[in-house]
Amino acid sequence: MKLKKLIAGLTSLTLAASIAGCSTSSNNAENSMPKEGQELAGDITVWHSFTQGPRLEVIQEAANDFKQKNPKVNIKIETFSWNDFYTKWTTGLSSGNVPDLSTALPNQVTEMINADAIIPVNDLIDSIGREKFANPAIEEGTVEGKNYSIPLYSHAQVMWYRKDLLEKHNLSVPKTWDELYETSKKLTSDGVYGLSVPMGTNDFMATRFLNFYVRSAGGSLLTKDKKVDLTSELPQKAIEYWVNMYKETSPKDSINYNVLQQATLFYQGKTAFDFNSGFHIGGVKANTPDLLKDIEAAPIPKMNANDPDRPIETSNVPLVVWKNSKHPEIAKAFAKTLYEKERYVKFLKAVPVGMLPAIKGISDDPSYKNDPIVQQFANAEKVISSAVEKGTAIGYEHGPSVQAGILVNQHIIEKMFQEIVSGKKDKVQAAKDAEKELNDLISATA
């Protein structure tokens, strides 16, 4: 519970109220799947972060269908960006202003478990078919045999590039970090940046970029005993790399970029390279459709071209059921309907290649494969699927942990980069201070 001292800057008084609110007004309905034929009645609230129209529409359609079949049920759907969602739930614990069912990010689930905010969903997983899910995705939200999250879809970070720009300049797709650096410098001209380096403190993009480099070399931002490491040789080299990339190939405004601002540059054809999942396809299609034929995905660069393929960053985006829910049986029953084949495929095709199936057999189904974008970007899907199989959430290479959540969600690494590029601190001192600040927060959870 000490983790709540870290959440969203809560004061100790708010923390105490949060713990009380979480534990006294909730129930422990671990086995709350409704029985067949059971009449459901009650109101639930669902929070999700599917801000794009098609995904939002599928969720709302599912809620409408569920209410039609269960006339005594009301479902309120609320949508928040991922950053707003984190603030919403961490501050809402004290008042009980949390939903019955929500999406989450893997690194947030460990914080929710530690805050005693969500309940196990073993029964939901079993009712759908445990064998349909990849075990690593289930294990990300598992503590002592209790599954606190159920994966809804998967994606992984890969390198996106402009084929036309490389061809124009007779350049090859970079396979190493040094090659990416040199190629990005050559392509930074004529209103196009080689690669934008985002450092905004309202997101975790700089942490993500730093993790790419360190993980590709076989390292980790967390030691085996789950302490943050920013000062040893490898992370120091990674910090220097991204500072140089920022100075040489990036718009200076990216010091404050979040994920959307970063991605929008690529969507609009203003960057030659970017790192993201298959969501980039939909972004380019919506913003600059003529460029769709010119983008492609490749694996994250390596230190050396002949290095082994190493796990980088995978995200298995899950659903969670909140402990404060008065109707966990309705929340779980509604969640189950999202996995019904026809609706599930429709949901995935709302962002084709961006959301890869979390359950087995869907990717080979004709109704999924016949999507034009899936067909056009078959190679990109292959690259992303391979990365999904190998990777973990940031910091999860030593297993799911609250420490990984602190590493990602406190935005201290982003502040560190801003201090370096603005000249307030040198990279050694900035890294030393950030490492201490993060490890002090980690110690507070012990």
Side-chain angles (χ1 to χ4, degrees):
M1 289 295 184
K2 291 182 180 179
L3 173 65
K4 300 181 118 180
K5 296 177 183 176
L6 313 176
I7 294 178
L10 293 176
T11 64
S12 58
L13 287 176
T14 304
L15 170 67
S18 177
I19 295 174
C22 182
S23 60
T24 60
S25 63
S26 59
N27 60 69
N28 284 300
E30 295 183 13
N31 297 296
S32 49
M33 284 298 297
K35 297 179 175 59
E36 186 174 352
Q38 178 181 340
E39 184 179 41
L40 298 175
D43 301 342
I44 67 167
T45 298
V46 177
W47 288 359
H48 69 74
S49 296
F50 305 141
T51 53
Q52 298 95 335
R55 294 198 293 175
L56 188 154
E57 290 164 7
V58 173
I59 299 298
Q60 186 61 61
E61 180 183 275
N64 294 341
D65 289 348
F66 190 86
K67 288 192 287 186
Q68 188 172 16
K69 294 175 183 177
N70 300 275
K72 294 184 179 180
V73 169
N74 289 304
I75 300 177
K76 182 180 180 182
I77 305 289
E78 297 184 2
T79 309
F80 304 97
S81 70
W82 287 115
N83 281 328
D84 289 344
F85 168 71
Y86 185 77
T87 301
K88 186 78 173 176
W89 79 259
T90 52
T91 57
L93 283 174
S94 59
S95 62
N97 184 24
V98 291
D100 298 84
L101 175 72
S102 78
T103 53
L105 293 177
N107 291 107
Q108 295 173 358
V109 172
T110 53
E111 295 192 39
M112 293 170 179
I113 295 170
N114 196 68
D116 194 26
I118 55 179
I119 63 173
V121 291
N122 298 56
D123 51 349
L124 173 58
I125 293 171
D126 290 336
S127 71
I128 295 170
R130 184 172 294 270
E131 72 285 352
K132 295 180 181 178
F133 295 91
N135 191 57
I138 295 291
E139 287 300 310
E140 283 186 349
T142 299
V143 175
E144 297 179 350
K146 293 182 178 181
N147 313 131
Y148 287 89
S149 62
I150 177 171
L152 183 59
Y153 67 88
S154 300
H155 60 79
Q157 296 291 306
V158 295
M159 182 178 74
W160 288 90
Y161 63 92
R162 288 275 300 279
K163 295 184 292 183
D164 57 326
L165 293 178
L166 292 178
E167 291 170 2
K168 177 181 177 181
H169 294 270
N170 196 29
L171 296 169
S172 300
V173 178
K175 294 182 179 179
T176 70
W177 292 112
D178 287 344
E179 289 174 359
L180 177 62
Y181 176 62
E182 295 300 330
T183 304
S184 295
K185 285 199 297 182
K186 291 175 181 177
L187 295 180
T188 301
S189 63
D190 301 324
V192 174
Y193 295 95
L195 172 66
S196 173
V197 182
M199 302 175 180
T201 55
N202 66 340
D203 217 327
F204 62 90
M205 293 297 288
T207 302
R208 166 173 281 166
F209 275 43
L210 188 64
N211 186 65
F212 289 157
Y213 192 102
V214 171
R215 292 295 294 136
S216 73
S220 173
L221 294 176
L222 288 178
T223 62
K224 290 183 179 179
D225 60 352
K226 297 185 175 66
K227 298 294 184 182
V228 175
D229 174 21
L230 299 176
T231 53
S232 65
E233 182 179 357
L234 179 56
Q236 280 286 293
K237 185 177 180 180
I239 291 168
E240 182 176 5
Y241 179 86
W242 289 119
V243 169
N244 288 338
M245 286 289 278
Y246 171 79
K247 292 177 178 178
E248 297 281 353
T249 76
S250 179
K252 297 304 172 272
D253 287 347
S254 71
I255 189 173
N256 292 311
Y257 279 4
N258 60 25
V259 63
L260 181 57
Q261 292 166 312
Q262 170 75 7
T264 298
L265 284 184
F266 191 79
Y267 298 164
Q268 296 176 343
K270 295 178 181 178
T271 46
F273 296 98
D274 197 17
F275 296 99
N276 211 303
S277 67
F279 277 78
H280 258 20
I281 298 169
V284 171
K285 183 179 179 182
N287 286 267
T288 318
D290 289 346
L291 283 179
L292 203 60
K293 66 183 186 305
D294 294 321
I295 67 169
E296 187 53 271
I300 299 288
K302 303 176 181 180
M303 298 298 291
N304 304 290
N306 60 352
D307 285 347
D309 294 333
R310 292 191 171 102
I312 309 292
E313 182 188 345
T314 293
S315 186
N316 299 295
V317 176
L319 296 169
V320 296
V321 176
W322 290 77
K323 190 175 182 182
N324 206 50
S325 174
K326 295 179 180 179
H327 297 287
E329 74 286 355
I330 299 176
K332 290 181 179 181
F334 174 62
K336 185 176 180 178
T337 68
L338 299 179
Y339 294 88
E340 293 171 355
K341 183 179 174 182
E342 184 177 348
R343 175 169 289 122
Y344 189 58
V345 170
K346 185 175 182 180
F347 174 70
L348 297 174
K349 290 171 73 171
V351 190
V353 186
M355 299 189 297
L356 300 183
I359 55 179
K360 300 172 185 176
I362 297 295
S363 59
D364 295 324
D365 191 276
S367 62
Y368 174 83
K369 294 178 68 174
N370 66 9
D371 184 272
I373 293 294
V374 172
Q375 294 174 353
Q376 180 179 352
F377 286 92
N379 178 70
E381 184 178 29
K382 184 178 179 181
V383 171
I384 298 167
S385 296
S386 178
V388 166
E389 293 171 3
K390 297 183 180 73
T392 68
I394 298 174
Y396 274 32
E397 49 270 16
H398 304 306
S401 67
V402 172
Q403 292 89 336
I406 293 170
L407 174 74
V408 171
N409 293 321
Q410 298 304 309
H411 311 314
I412 291 170
I413 289 174
E414 285 68 30
K415 181 181 71 172
M416 174 195 75
F417 273 105
Q418 289 189 350
E419 290 172 340
I420 296 170
V421 301
S422 66
K424 291 181 180 179
K425 296 179 182 178
D426 63 44
K427 73 178 178 68
V428 174
Q429 188 60 52
K432 183 178 179 180
D433 291 348
E435 180 181 281
K436 182 180 186 302
E437 187 174 358
L438 284 163
N439 283 327
D440 284 348
L441 292 174
I442 286 172
S443 295
T445 70

